[in-house]
Amino acid sequence: MQEIGAVRARYPDARISLTDFSGYGAYNCEPIPAANERGTATRWYWEAGHFKKALGDIVLRRVMSPQDSAPDDGQFGMSLDGASLAQNRERIAQERGICAAAQPALFSRQLLAEQHGQGGGRR
């Protein structure tokens, strides 16, 4: 937020925004097939750090037209400013609870990885 404020102060006519695509919403909390489910694929992500073109297209639409919400999820790509940070943290916590209830195995694997120093894991 400080960097954006500094850019705006230096270039008052610049159009700059910050959008948060993190969290545990519908795009980030999709079921992950088990290792033995080779014929099943995730819809939005290749793996934890790389999303597929379909989600990239949604991100681009959201960034290029911030007033429009992404299809099927009005919270995906939340615009951030100093006033919305607390609301964004609350959104992420709420989404995490919903995702953990829907997919407890996803979070138990993440917990095990963190306990063994591997960190990461799927959002």
Side-chain angles (χ1 to χ4, degrees):
M1 299 306 316
Q2 292 175 341
E3 291 86 358
I4 291 174
V7 171
R8 284 184 177 144
R10 187 168 180 182
Y11 305 100
D13 295 332
R15 289 179 31 195
I16 185 170
S17 63
L18 177 62
T19 305
D20 183 6
F21 292 97
S22 70
Y24 300 87
Y27 298 108
N28 310 74
C29 188
E30 65 180 316
I32 299 174
N36 63 349
E37 295 179 294
R38 297 198 182 265
T40 305
T42 57
R43 180 176 180 189
W44 303 112
Y45 285 86
W46 292 110
E47 38 71 23
H50 297 93
F51 51 81
K52 295 180 178 181
K53 181 185 181 311
L55 186 55
D57 290 343
I58 292 169
V59 168
L60 285 174
R61 272 197 310 267
R62 180 67 173 102
V63 170
M64 300 307 288
S65 303
Q67 68 278 6
D68 298 333
S69 61
D72 301 319
D73 185 351
Q75 291 298 313
F76 188 68
M78 184 172 187
S79 294
L80 292 181
D81 59 28
S84 65
L85 290 175
Q87 178 186 3
N88 191 51
R89 282 191 294 270
E90 290 172 15
R91 173 193 61 84
I92 292 170
Q94 181 181 27
E95 288 176 354
R96 187 179 197 286
I98 293 167
C99 184
Q103 299 189 61
L106 178 67
F107 286 82
S108 64
R109 284 192 297 249
Q110 179 181 355
L111 181 60
L112 288 173
E114 290 171 357
Q115 289 174 342
H116 289 94
Q118 297 170 358
R122 208 36 221 261
R123 279 181 257 140

